[in-house]
Each structure stands twice: as C-alpha cells, then as structure tokens.
Amino acid sequence: MPGDPEDRTDAPLVIAFDTSSAHVTGAVLQGETVLAQAHEEMAKGQAERLMGFCQELLDTAGLRIGDLDLVATGTGPGNFTGIRISVSAARGLALGLGIPAIGLSILEAQAFGLTGPVISTLDGRRDAIYLQMLQTDAPIAPMLCDLDTLPELPDGISPACVGFRSGDVAERLSGRSTASRFPVAEAIGRCALKRLHLDNPRPAPLYIRPADAAPARDTAPVILT
C-alpha cells in the first residue's frame, strides 16, 4: 500500500512531477516502490497549484519534504510556460533542500521500460509531432515533424511506437504501436533514480519549436513562488 511504513527501505526517496502539458502530475517513489501518485488535468494555474500538490503527495506517502533525496521533473517538450514552471520548481526545491535535481524529457519518460528501438511521440500542435528514437545504436534526437515528414530509419529497424498517434507512426515506419509501461511522473522518478549517481546536468527546458526557444536552454528559469 502506498505510504505504508512497513514497505520502506533504505533506497533513495524521489519526488517527480511534470507540468509541461495541461496537467499537474506527480509521484513519490522509494526505490522501486511507489508511495504516492496523483494526476490533475489543468489548463492553467499550474504555478499556483504545484507546491501544494507536491505537499499532498508527501502527506499521502507519510513523508516530510526534508526526507527527500532527489527531485525529478519533466523538461518538455510541450507548453512553454508549463515547462518553465516544473523546471524552476525542481531547481528551487533542490537548491533549498541541498539535494540533486534531475530533468527528463517526456519523450524519454514515455519510452522508459520499453524494449528498443523505441519511437516516442507527443502532440506538437498544428498537425505536428514531437519525435525521438531511443534505445538504439542509431538514435534520433528530439525533432518536430509530421506524418508526411517522418525520419527515414536505418534498414532492419522495426520500432516500438509509443505516444501521440503511435498507430499512424507505426504504420508508416513498419513498427508496432504500444503503450507506456508507467504513468509519466512515475517514469520520470524511476529513470531519475537510475541516474542518481551519474554526473547529471541541472534540469533545463527542452524547447523544440523555434518560436519557443527564445530563452537560452542553459539559462536558469525564474524561480516561481
């Protein structure tokens, strides 16, 4: 049962969240155990909701904020303002608590736990698709395309396709459509825990659309309160 003290181990505790789309979603994990998770559809107001949402997750898990060992966040692509909210919150929490913060793209999160090669896609708006190919010796970096301009894959690759319009993408790329193994916040947390002991850069927004990329990627967003 989430939050049950008898299920606790000495594994690191992580809170993971994302506001890159029209939602606030989050999870608290200790190692492989999910202690709490929640998801709220929300077109606006994420900045005002996020910190209270995180506190509610910690309350459900029976934890205090000082118990955390790691903060993890989604970094996009998606809504420009939403990305900045979650990235700045993760940086602020990590700074205040003196713990690491790790960022993970939603494209990566969707593919986490699947057997590669994996094509991960998100709605890019205006008939466009955000796409990345992972878990292969011939990866494709995050890009913006549409169904008529999908990237050409190397011979012999039949990818698992997950995410937005995965069935259409699979049909065009001779792949197969599949579902994500984990909810997005849980996937962010699980992947971040696996990277905890690596030399991770601090979370930074992943902007793919040129119009969304005005702020430099390596410039810290303003901490929102």
Side-chain angles (χ1 to χ4, degrees):
M1 177 179 178
D4 189 339
E6 294 183 1
D7 293 336
R8 302 293 170 77
T9 70
D10 292 329
L13 281 159
V14 59
I15 189 167
F17 49 78
D18 177 66
T19 59
S20 65
S21 188
H23 62 224
V24 176
T25 190
V28 176
L29 296 90
Q30 184 164 38
E32 296 294 318
T33 302
V34 177
L35 302 180
Q37 60 181 325
H39 179 95
E40 296 179 7
E41 294 294 323
M42 185 176 297
K44 59 182 179 179
Q46 290 97 328
E48 294 80 8
R49 176 66 179 127
L50 181 56
M51 289 298 96
F53 179 83
C54 289
Q55 185 59 59
E56 290 167 13
L57 285 173
L58 292 170
D59 291 344
T60 298
L63 299 171
R64 299 170 300 173
I65 194 167
D67 295 327
L68 294 171
D69 300 298
L70 173 65
V71 180
T73 183
T75 60
N79 176 271
F80 175 76
T81 300
I83 294 169
R84 289 191 299 126
I85 290 167
S86 56
V87 168
S88 61
R91 287 185 177 183
L93 277 175
L95 181 64
L97 295 171
I99 60 176
I102 295 177
L104 189 76
S105 81
I106 306 307
L107 294 166
E108 292 178 275
Q110 286 187 154
F112 181 74
L114 298 176
T115 301
V118 179
I119 294 281
S120 181
T121 52
L122 291 167
D123 185 358
R125 306 187 310 277
R126 301 192 289 274
D127 297 322
I129 296 171
Y130 294 122
L131 179 148
Q132 183 176 8
M133 186 161 74
L134 310 100
Q135 302 179 18
T136 173
D137 293 334
I140 296 174
M143 62 178 292
L144 189 68
C145 62
D146 58 37
L147 288 176
D148 295 323
T149 59
L150 293 171
E152 185 175 345
L153 304 186
D155 292 341
I157 287 186
S158 178
C161 299
V162 62
F164 180 66
R165 301 196 68 171
S166 60
D168 294 325
V169 173
E171 181 179 358
R172 286 163 171 76
L173 296 180
S174 300
R176 67 188 189 282
S177 177
T178 189
S180 297
R181 282 198 59 193
F182 305 102
V184 65
E186 181 181 345
I188 292 169
R190 289 183 181 276
C191 189
L193 284 170
K194 290 184 177 296
R195 298 180 182 181
L196 178 56
H197 301 296
L198 303 178
D199 184 15
N200 297 286
R202 63 181 181 174
L206 174 62
Y207 303 124
I208 296 179
R209 281 188 180 277
D212 290 348
R217 180 185 168 123
D218 58 354
T219 299
V222 175
I223 300 298
L224 302 176
T225 58

